[in-house]
């Protein structure tokens, strides 16, 4: 009797294992078929209920609905996607756009705060986040992102263009809003547009904050000399040693217009070779 009972137990166990393996095989087959559909991007919104395991596909469907200006469908699909993968920053930003279009500005700002915290270690969606923050008038996020993009050379031209529009040529705003490390990049950008007077103002802010860039000074001096603004060009090389630039050869040679040269002989000293 005991032997028969043991045999039945083994048979039952094998049967359960076989059923479990069969169930697992069905799941893997289903997953494989769905993965092929997702990879080929041949799915439609009607297939959304079968794509619960693929949040990025749901976000893509939400983006398509947003492109069709179907805000309710976009919000439903996007919420479904980001709820399954909270790290999909792009999906969150689209959802915030949809919330804004639906009149829910507070909800859009909450999402923006979440995405901003989520993206502290990445610049993947920072530009889109910045534009959303600008629309929502969340300026601390705007300036935090602009400074990060300029410092990391990401969307630099766009970031500097937007920063320039927001700064509106106000020196106090430049001093307050731009990080000190980004002042040289902004100065070079101004020079590229021929705005040398504003470049000189930013250069003064750099000097006040202890930011030096000899190569920038050389380029700015050359541009000023090209406009015959000799005094302004000379002022960039002043270092407390009189009209001579780098008289003791302590500084690096930067190929500037006043490199290892002098403008005139002053009282009490002379040049000899």
């Amino acid at each position: 009797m005991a032997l028969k009972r043991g045999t039945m137990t083994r048979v039952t166990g094998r049967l359960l294992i076989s059923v479990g393996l069969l169930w697992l095989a069905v799941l893997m087959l289903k997953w494989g078929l769905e993965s092929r559909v997702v990879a080929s991007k041949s799915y439609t919104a009607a297939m959304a209920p079968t794509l619960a395991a693929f949040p990025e596909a749901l976000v893509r469907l939400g983006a398509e609905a947003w492109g069709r200006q179907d805000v309710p469908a976009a919000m439903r699909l996007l919420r479904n996607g980001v709820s399954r993968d909270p790290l999909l920053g792009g999906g969150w930003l689209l959802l915030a756009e949809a919330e804004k279009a639906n009149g829910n500005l507070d909800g859009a700002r909450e999402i923006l705060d979440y995405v901003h915290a989520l993206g502290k270690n990445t610049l993947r969606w920072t530009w889109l986040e910045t534009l959303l923050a600008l629309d929502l008038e969340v300026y601390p996020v705007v300036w935090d992102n602009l400074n990060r993009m300029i410092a990391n050379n990401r969307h630099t031209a766009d970031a500097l263009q937007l920063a320039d529009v927001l700064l509106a040529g106000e020196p106090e705003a430049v001093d307050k809003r731009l990080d000190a490390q980004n002042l040289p990049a902004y100065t070079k950008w101004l020079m590229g547009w021929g705005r040398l007077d504003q470049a000189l103002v930013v250069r003064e802010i750099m000097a006040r904050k202890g930011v030096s860039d000899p190569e920038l000074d050389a380029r700015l001096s050359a541009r000023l000399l090209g406009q015959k603004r000799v005094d302004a060009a000379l002022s960039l090389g002043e270092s407390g040693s009189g009209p001579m630039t780098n008289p003791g050869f302590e500084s690096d040679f930067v190929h500037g217009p006043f490199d290892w040269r002098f403008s005139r002989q002053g009282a009490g000293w002379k040049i000899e070779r």
Side-chain angles (χ1 to χ4, degrees), residues 175-224:
D175 195 348
K176 181 179 179 181
R177 301 298 183 190
L178 280 182
D179 291 345
Q181 63 178 335
N182 293 330
L183 293 173
Y186 183 47
T187 306
K188 293 173 184 176
W189 186 87
L190 290 169
M191 290 166 54
W193 287 98
R195 293 158 59 183
L196 300 187
D197 288 328
Q198 288 177 278
L200 283 169
V201 171
V202 180
R203 171 62 175 73
E204 292 176 2
I205 297 173
M206 287 175 54
R208 191 164 63 248
K209 291 191 172 186
V211 179
S212 62
D213 189 330
E215 181 182 353
L216 170 63
D217 287 349
R219 290 173 57 185
L220 183 53
S221 295
R223 294 292 297 276
L224 291 166

Side-chain angles (χ1 to χ4, degrees), residues 4-18:
K4 184 177 181 181
R5 187 175 299 157
T7 302
M8 290 182 63
T9 301
R10 287 195 297 274
V11 170
T12 302
R14 290 173 182 172
L15 181 60
L16 290 174
I17 292 173
S18 298

Side-chain angles (χ1 to χ4, degrees), residues 237 239 241 244-253 258-261:
S239 59
S241 58
M244 172 178 278
T245 302
N246 193 18
F249 297 87
E250 295 89 354
S251 301
D252 292 335
F253 185 57
F258 301 111
D259 227 0
W260 295 347
R261 304 179 188 183

Side-chain angles (χ1 to χ4, degrees), residues 22-266:
L22 179 61
W23 178 74
L24 182 61
V26 171
L27 284 181
M28 291 181 65
L29 178 61
K30 180 176 181 292
W31 174 272
L33 292 174
E34 290 175 349
S35 297
R36 290 185 63 182
V37 171
V38 170
S40 65
K41 297 182 180 179
S42 58
Y43 49 87
T44 63
M47 300 170 63
T50 67
L51 300 174
F54 302 94
E56 290 187 3
L58 295 172
V59 168
R60 183 172 179 271
L61 289 172
E64 291 178 355
W66 175 251
R68 298 192 303 270
Q69 297 185 342
D70 187 351
V71 177
M75 293 177 67
R76 182 178 67 255
L77 290 163
L78 290 168
R79 282 190 185 126
N80 203 1
V82 297
S83 66
R84 284 169 168 75
D85 187 352
L87 299 181
L88 292 175
W92 280 111
L93 289 175
L94 276 175
L95 180 57
E97 290 282 1
E99 293 283 7
K100 178 169 68 74
N102 206 36
N104 184 12
L105 297 183
D106 289 339
R109 291 189 180 101
E110 288 180 8
I111 293 173
L112 175 66
D113 289 341
Y114 170 77
V115 175
H116 187 59
L118 185 67
K120 284 293 186 182
N121 296 319
T122 180
L123 294 169
R124 182 178 178 183
W125 53 76
T126 306
W127 178 246
L128 294 177
E129 179 191 322
T130 303
L131 296 180
L132 175 63
L134 187 64
D135 286 342
L136 295 172
E137 299 182 348
V138 185
Y139 291 106
V141 171
V142 172
W143 282 110
D144 186 40
N145 284 354
L146 289 177
N147 277 299
R148 288 175 60 220
M149 286 187 288
I150 296 169
N152 289 279
N153 198 28
R154 187 69 175 265
H155 292 289
T156 312
D158 292 330
L160 287 168
Q161 177 71 50
L162 179 55
D164 183 65
V165 171
L166 296 174
L167 292 169
E170 294 292 334
E172 291 183 3
V174 175
D175 195 348
K176 181 179 179 181
R177 301 298 183 190
L178 280 182
D179 291 345
Q181 63 178 335
N182 293 330
L183 293 173
Y186 183 47
T187 306
K188 293 173 184 176
W189 186 87
L190 290 169
M191 290 166 54
W193 287 98
R195 293 158 59 183
L196 300 187
D197 288 328
Q198 288 177 278
L200 283 169
V201 171
V202 180
R203 171 62 175 73
E204 292 176 2
I205 297 173
M206 287 175 54
R208 191 164 63 248
K209 291 191 172 186
V211 179
S212 62
D213 189 330
E215 181 182 353
L216 170 63
D217 287 349
R219 290 173 57 185
L220 183 53
S221 295
R223 294 292 297 276
L224 291 166
L225 283 177
Q227 295 185 358
K228 302 186 184 304
R229 300 172 63 177
V230 178
D231 290 339
L234 281 170
S235 69
L236 298 177
E238 291 179 353
S239 59
S241 58
M244 172 178 278
T245 302
N246 193 18
F249 297 87
E250 295 89 354
S251 301
D252 292 335
F253 185 57
V254 296
H255 304 287
F258 301 111
D259 227 0
W260 295 347
R261 304 179 188 183
F262 66 96
S263 59
R264 63 184 182 278
Q265 295 196 82

